């Protein structure tokens, strides 16, 4: 140790008494020095993929650019895309390689400059479609100029920052002994000559803002083939001079200058909006939201997700934005990321939704009980012209640009009831306005609606049991809600009245073939209906026509749903809510053996007197606050305690809630506030 610190020496050591030599423990053989985290982080350098591998990382964007250009063939039959765009994109990829577009601003990660150039090329191409040039020239020449204008716009966007490779950065080997000269050769050729497997970037301290534009011309000579230059400059050399002005910043009257400048700005703004977290190489933790967005886009690009058609995972509504069918979309994303072996990605749909909500990428639904991740939406296209809506649970995303950065498809309308005269009822009835604003608006008029939510896959299905396991039955079976529910079921439709009659006839055997799943009542098909003496096909037809069935998001036009190797009819939330009250009445009126009715001790804590596994129980927050008062010695409102994030997570797990949801519900209580560090301060 003295030798390492530069202190002492042989003479000093000789005067000391003999000491026992302690050998430093060797690192575990299962770790290498590079695998052990250290702060500041190790600089690992950038790898050297092959050119096809590098281009494949942006294959989706290149395909979109090709579709946007729509170049077709030249008069001599030459394919313009293959002749004038593909060689430039290949040369651009080889030239900029994995160099970022900036050190700490937009597109700051590996491959950022390559991506930024392609994005700017796409946006410039799209904007060029409304531009007219050569109006003073013969019609034959105007036809020749139209594809050249689009290609010039695309290449201007692609190459407008290429000079950064020369002006802003240097690339060296690990020891810094050899530096790459982009003027002389490609980075890949330089690395192969020296037998490198990685290269290391260094940002120039004295680089000037916008100084790279003067070097764009040098980069142009390394990237742009002569035949492309000749093609762009004929028949109007002014088009080519406008292209040069667009990438060098020289004043020019060509519309290409503004097209490239605007495309650059749009690409920068989009990247800053979508990637607000630090690079994976320096951040501790997995950037889950970034992986989820990438998975969504890949599922769309591969065609596994469709948009605005029956069975689609993605729906875009006029005025209400972009929605994902949930939790089916979450399952697809989870399976895709699991195949990629991405670590740290949650599998639970509620946790996925919570991550997107916390990042501001999704919009929660608000009601009297707080915030909820999903909405109930009814696309008009699924109704098939019927008077009954087909409702789906959906997660609403904040911005369509999350999935459609290059332009969203058309929208569809929500279902709305036909404008026909209907008899006025004193009881709740199905909505006459477009479905989709709030689940509570669809589900009836109950002021306090018990709504259990399964905390995990194991608890997602609870067998209906008249003895005492039916979820959330009313404490007082003589409540006024029960006769209202019975009246509602009798008057709403013939099928709901028939269903009530079938349930009454089953008496104690209601649990045969019935389960609660996703807060809906599922009835086994055809077993339950045969037991109740109701023809199963007739029941399915009647319940479907009256709009009482919850469709499968994957097959919304199919009535019968599959689960656990069996077939079921899932009743929608509105009907299930009313049946919950009726079934609770039956449960409460059933005699049970005295030995099975435990008598809670008077001194038991509050948390043991009430069930704590119902996240929507209105008493839950009171229970939590009383538990905190017991733990921290409060109870008279004169004390306060701070809930750290780890404590909040523990409470969320204990009561089967997401952290985001629990935090929201706690903040709705006047005894809970948030301090300047976003911690929860509770008055107890």
């Amino acid at each position: 140790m003295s030798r390492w610190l530069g202190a002492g020496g042989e003479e000093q050591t000789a005067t000391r008494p003999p000491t026992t030599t302690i050998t430093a423990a060797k690192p575990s053989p299962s770790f290498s020095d590079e695998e052990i985290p250290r702060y500041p982080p190790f600089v690992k350098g950038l790898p050297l993929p092959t050119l096809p591998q590098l281009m494949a990382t942006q294959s989706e964007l290149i395909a979109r650019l090709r579709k946007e250009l729509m170049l077709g063939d030249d008069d001599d039959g030459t394919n313009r895309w293959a002749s004038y765009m593909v060689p430039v994109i290949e040369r651009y990829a080889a030239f900029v390689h994995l160099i970022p577009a900036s050190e700490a601003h937009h597109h700051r990660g590996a491959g950022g400059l390559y991506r930024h150039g392609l994005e700017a090329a796409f946006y410039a191409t799209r904007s060029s479609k409304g531009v007219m040039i050569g109006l003073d020239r013969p019609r034959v020449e105007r036809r020749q100029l139209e594809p050249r204008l689009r290609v010039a716009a695309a290449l201007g966007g692609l190459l407008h920052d290429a000079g950064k490779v020369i002006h802003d950065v240097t690339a060296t080997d690990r020891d810094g002994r050899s530096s790459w000269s982009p003027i002389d050769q490609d980075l890949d050729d330089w690395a192969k000559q020296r037998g490198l497997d990685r290269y290391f970037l260094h940002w120039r301290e004295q680089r000037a803002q916008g100084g790279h534009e003067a070097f764009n011309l040098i980069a142009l000579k390394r990237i742009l083939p002569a035949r492309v230059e000749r093609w762009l400059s004929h028949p109007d050399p002014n088009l080519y001079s406008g292209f040069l002005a667009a990438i060098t910043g020289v004043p020019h009257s060509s519309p290409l200058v503004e097209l490239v400048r605007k495309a650059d700005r749009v690409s920068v703004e989009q990247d800053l909006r979508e990637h607000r977290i630090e690079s994976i190489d320096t951040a501790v933790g997995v950037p889950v939201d970034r992986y989820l967005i990438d998975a969504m886009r890949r599922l769309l690009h591969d065609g596994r997700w469709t948009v605005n058609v029956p069975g689609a995972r993605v729906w875009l509504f006029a005025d209400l934005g972009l929605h994902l069918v949930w939790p089916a979309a979450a399952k697809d994303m989870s399976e895709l990321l699991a195949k990629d072996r991405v670590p740290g990605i949650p599998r639970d749909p509620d946790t996925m939704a919570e991550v997107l909500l916390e990042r501001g990428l999704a919009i929660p639904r608000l009601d009297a009980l707080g915030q909820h991740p999903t909405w109930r939406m009814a696309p008009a296209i699924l109704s098939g012209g019927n008077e009954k809506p087909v409702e789906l649970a959906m997660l609403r995303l904040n911005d369509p640009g999350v999935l459609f950065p290059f332009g969203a498809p058309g929208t569809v309308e929500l279902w709305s009831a036909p404008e026909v005269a209907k008899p006025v009822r004193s009881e709740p009835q199905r909505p006459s306005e477009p479905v989709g604003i709030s689940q509570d608006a669809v589900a009836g008029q109950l002021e306090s609606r018990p709504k259990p939510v399964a905390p995990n896959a194991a608890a997602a299905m609870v067998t209906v049991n008249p003895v005492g396991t039916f979820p959330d039955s009313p404490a007082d079976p003589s409540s006024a809600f029960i006769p209202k529910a019975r009246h509602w079921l009798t008057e709403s439709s013939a099928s709901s009245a028939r269903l009530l009659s079938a349930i009454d006839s089953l008496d104690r055997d209601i649990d045969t073939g019935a389960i609660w799943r996703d807060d809906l009542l599922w009835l086994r098909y055809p077993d339950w209906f045969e037991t109740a003496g109701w023809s199963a096909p007739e029941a399915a037809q009647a319940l479907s026509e009256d709009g009482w069935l919850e469709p499968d998001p994957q097959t919304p036009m199919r009535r019968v749903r599959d689960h656990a190797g069996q077939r079921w009819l899932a009743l929608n939330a509105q009907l299930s809510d009313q049946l919950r009250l009726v079934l609770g009445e039956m449960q409460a009126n059933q005699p049970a053996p005295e030995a099975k009715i435990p008598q809670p001790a008077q001194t038991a804590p509050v948390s043991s007197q009430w069930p704590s596994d119902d996240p929507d129980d209105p008493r839950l927050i009171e229970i939590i606050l009383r538990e905190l008062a017991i733990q921290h010695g409060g109870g008279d409102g004169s004390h306060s305690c701070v809930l750290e994030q780890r404590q909040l997570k523990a409470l969320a797990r204990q009561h089967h809630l997401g952290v985001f949801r629990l935090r929201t519900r706690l903040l709705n209580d006047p005894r809970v506030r948030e301090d300047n560090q976003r911690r929860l301060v509770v008055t107890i």
Side-chain angles (χ1 to χ4, degrees):
M1 181 65 74
S2 298
R3 185 169 61 255
W4 294 344
L5 297 176
E10 293 184 3
E11 294 182 1
Q12 183 178 2
T13 306
T15 60
R16 295 175 180 170
T19 58
T20 303
T21 302
I22 301 176
T23 304
K26 295 182 179 180
S28 169
S30 61
F31 292 96
S32 67
D33 291 341
E34 189 176 358
E35 290 175 334
I36 303 174
R38 186 192 71 183
Y39 191 87
F42 291 100
V43 178
K44 297 181 180 180
L46 295 172
L48 287 156
T50 64
L51 185 58
Q53 289 174 328
L54 179 58
M55 294 184 64
T57 63
Q58 301 300 334
S59 59
E60 176 187 355
L61 184 48
I62 294 173
R64 288 181 178 275
L65 176 60
R66 180 178 185 177
K67 184 177 180 181
E68 195 71 27
L69 278 167
M70 296 186 300
L71 290 177
D73 296 335
D74 260 340
D75 294 337
D76 60 358
T78 302
N79 183 271
R80 292 170 180 151
W81 168 262
S83 295
Y84 307 126
M85 288 300 302
V86 171
V88 183
I89 294 175
E90 289 178 344
R91 296 293 306 129
Y92 178 73
F95 186 73
V96 304
H97 213 259
L98 291 175
I99 295 174
S102 66
E103 182 179 12
H105 191 223
H106 70 96
H107 297 85
R108 62 187 181 273
L113 186 54
Y114 181 41
R115 173 75 183 192
H116 176 48
L118 289 170
E119 285 181 354
F122 176 88
Y123 290 123
T125 302
R126 171 168 288 183
S127 300
S128 70
K129 291 184 176 180
V131 176
M132 303 292 291
I133 61 170
L135 297 178
D136 57 340
R137 289 181 170 270
R139 184 175 181 181
V140 175
E141 290 190 6
R142 289 204 304 270
R143 289 181 57 192
Q144 293 177 325
L145 287 173
E146 287 175 0
R148 286 167 170 81
L149 172 67
R150 294 199 298 275
V151 170
L155 295 182
L158 184 70
L159 304 176
H160 77 283
D161 272 351
K164 287 186 173 182
V165 173
I166 306 171
H167 176 264
D168 288 7
V169 300
T170 59
T172 70
D173 59 6
R174 184 182 298 271
D175 299 328
R177 295 176 181 175
S178 177
S179 298
W180 168 52
S181 174
I183 298 176
D184 298 327
Q185 61 184 156
D186 289 341
L187 189 148
D188 190 60
D189 293 336
W190 164 78
K192 286 179 179 177
Q193 288 177 4
R194 286 152 183 80
L196 305 180
D197 60 353
R198 287 180 177 270
Y199 62 95
F200 296 78
L201 290 182
H202 309 272
W203 294 89
R204 299 183 190 273
E205 295 293 338
Q206 304 301 323
R207 62 186 186 275
Q209 179 71 25
H212 67 277
E213 292 180 344
F215 291 85
N216 283 344
L217 279 178
I218 300 177
L220 184 70
K221 290 302 179 182
R222 297 273 300 123
I223 298 173
L224 200 63
R227 69 176 183 277
V228 179
E229 292 185 273
R230 288 194 298 270
W231 185 75
L232 289 177
S233 59
H234 176 79
D236 185 1
N238 192 51
L239 176 66
Y240 186 66
S241 64
F243 160 72
L244 293 178
I247 65 173
T248 58
V250 176
H252 198 283
S253 59
S254 172
L256 289 169
V257 175
E258 183 58 30
L259 287 175
V260 172
R261 182 183 296 117
K262 179 181 177 182
D264 175 39
R265 183 172 64 250
V266 172
S267 174
V268 169
E269 290 175 351
Q270 176 181 302
D271 185 72
L272 293 176
R273 181 175 63 250
E274 293 184 3
H275 302 113
R276 301 183 298 272
I277 59 178
E278 293 300 321
S279 169
I280 300 175
D281 293 335
T282 58
V284 176
V286 178
V288 175
D289 55 340
R290 188 186 298 180
Y291 282 119
L292 295 181
I293 292 173
D294 179 68
M296 296 177 202
R297 291 180 177 175
R298 288 165 58 193
L299 289 165
L300 270 174
H301 177 66
D302 296 344
R304 283 176 280 182
W305 280 7
T306 52
V307 184
N308 292 346
V309 295
R313 289 287 191 270
V314 182
W315 292 88
L316 191 62
F317 299 109
D319 302 325
L320 291 177
L322 183 65
H323 295 71
L324 302 178
V325 177
W326 209 260
K331 180 181 178 183
D332 295 341
M333 294 154 59
S334 176
E335 291 176 350
L336 177 63
L337 294 173
K339 289 180 181 178
D340 292 344
R341 297 183 179 180
V342 178
I345 301 298
R347 304 296 297 269
D348 178 62
D350 290 340
T351 307
M352 281 190 181
E354 185 178 321
V355 169
L356 296 173
L357 288 167
E358 288 179 343
R359 283 287 178 183
L361 297 170
I363 301 174
R365 174 174 57 85
L366 305 176
D367 61 19
L369 294 177
Q371 297 189 14
H372 308 274
T374 58
W375 304 67
R376 304 227 27 114
M377 314 295 288
I381 192 174
L382 297 184
S383 67
N386 297 326
E387 297 184 3
K388 308 302 179 186
V390 177
E391 302 170 31
L392 302 175
M394 297 191 184
L395 184 76
R396 179 176 295 178
L397 298 185
N398 184 48
D399 181 9
V402 171
L403 292 194
F404 303 103
F406 308 110
T411 60
V412 295
E413 299 296 327
L414 288 167
W415 176 88
S416 60
E419 296 183 0
V420 295
K422 291 185 178 181
V424 178
R425 295 177 178 173
S426 59
E427 301 300 326
Q429 53 187 328
R430 289 183 290 281
S432 59
E433 296 299 324
V435 177
I437 303 301
S438 169
Q439 184 175 355
D440 291 334
V442 180
Q445 303 293 325
L446 295 178
E447 293 181 6
S448 177
R449 190 181 77 188
K451 180 182 174 185
V453 177
N456 50 47
M461 185 165 57
V462 180
T463 304
V464 178
N465 189 332
V467 176
T469 60
F470 194 91
D472 243 17
S473 59
D476 181 8
S478 64
S479 167
F481 288 128
I482 294 173
K484 285 184 178 181
R486 285 187 164 276
H487 181 74
W488 187 92
L489 290 164
T490 303
E491 298 295 327
S492 288
S493 69
S495 62
S496 61
R498 179 67 185 272
L499 188 61
L500 175 63
S501 175
I503 289 174
D504 286 338
S505 68
L506 289 174
D507 197 21
R508 287 178 179 267
D509 295 328
I510 178 61
D511 63 321
T512 303
I515 62 172
W516 281 96
R517 187 170 186 266
D518 298 334
D519 198 23
L520 304 176
L521 181 60
W522 292 46
L523 304 176
R524 189 179 301 165
Y525 184 90
D527 308 45
W528 189 91
F529 298 93
E530 292 176 354
T531 303
W534 189 4
S535 168
E538 177 188 337
Q541 177 74 18
L543 291 168
S544 175
E545 290 180 352
D546 287 339
W548 296 130
L549 297 183
E550 179 78 6
D552 187 338
Q554 299 186 29
T555 55
M557 308 308 294
R558 184 170 172 239
R559 295 168 183 159
V560 181
R561 301 181 62 169
D562 297 322
H563 173 67
Q566 297 175 326
R567 306 170 72 202
W568 307 80
L569 291 184
L571 307 182
N572 70 6
Q574 188 179 11
L575 186 59
S576 295
D577 283 336
Q578 306 295 339
L579 290 173
R580 178 181 284 111
L581 292 168
V582 173
L583 293 171
E585 173 198 27
M586 294 176 61
Q587 171 188 326
N589 290 335
Q590 294 297 333
E594 292 184 4
K596 292 189 178 182
I597 306 179
Q599 299 295 329
Q602 298 296 322
T603 58
V606 176
S607 58
S608 65
Q609 295 179 18
W610 307 106
S612 62
D613 59 351
D614 177 7
D616 284 316
D617 190 334
R619 302 164 294 180
L620 181 58
I621 299 303
E622 187 66 35
I623 293 170
I624 292 175
L625 295 182
R626 291 190 185 183
E627 288 176 345
L628 292 174
I630 294 173
Q631 294 172 13
H632 297 278
D636 57 358
S638 61
H639 295 73
S640 63
C641 67
V642 175
L643 278 181
E644 301 287 352
Q645 186 69 11
R646 59 180 181 80
Q647 296 172 297
L648 191 64
K649 289 181 178 179
L651 281 171
R653 287 195 300 269
Q654 178 185 348
H655 296 285
H656 310 299
L657 278 153
V659 177
F660 175 85
R661 192 174 177 190
L662 177 59
R663 184 186 186 88
T664 301
R665 290 193 60 184
L666 283 168
L667 285 173
N668 286 333
D669 192 283
R671 291 165 290 183
V672 184
R673 62 180 176 83
E674 190 177 56
D675 65 9
N676 55 8
Q677 299 180 28
R678 297 196 74 243
R679 300 178 304 178
L680 297 185
V681 180
V682 183
T683 302
I684 53 178

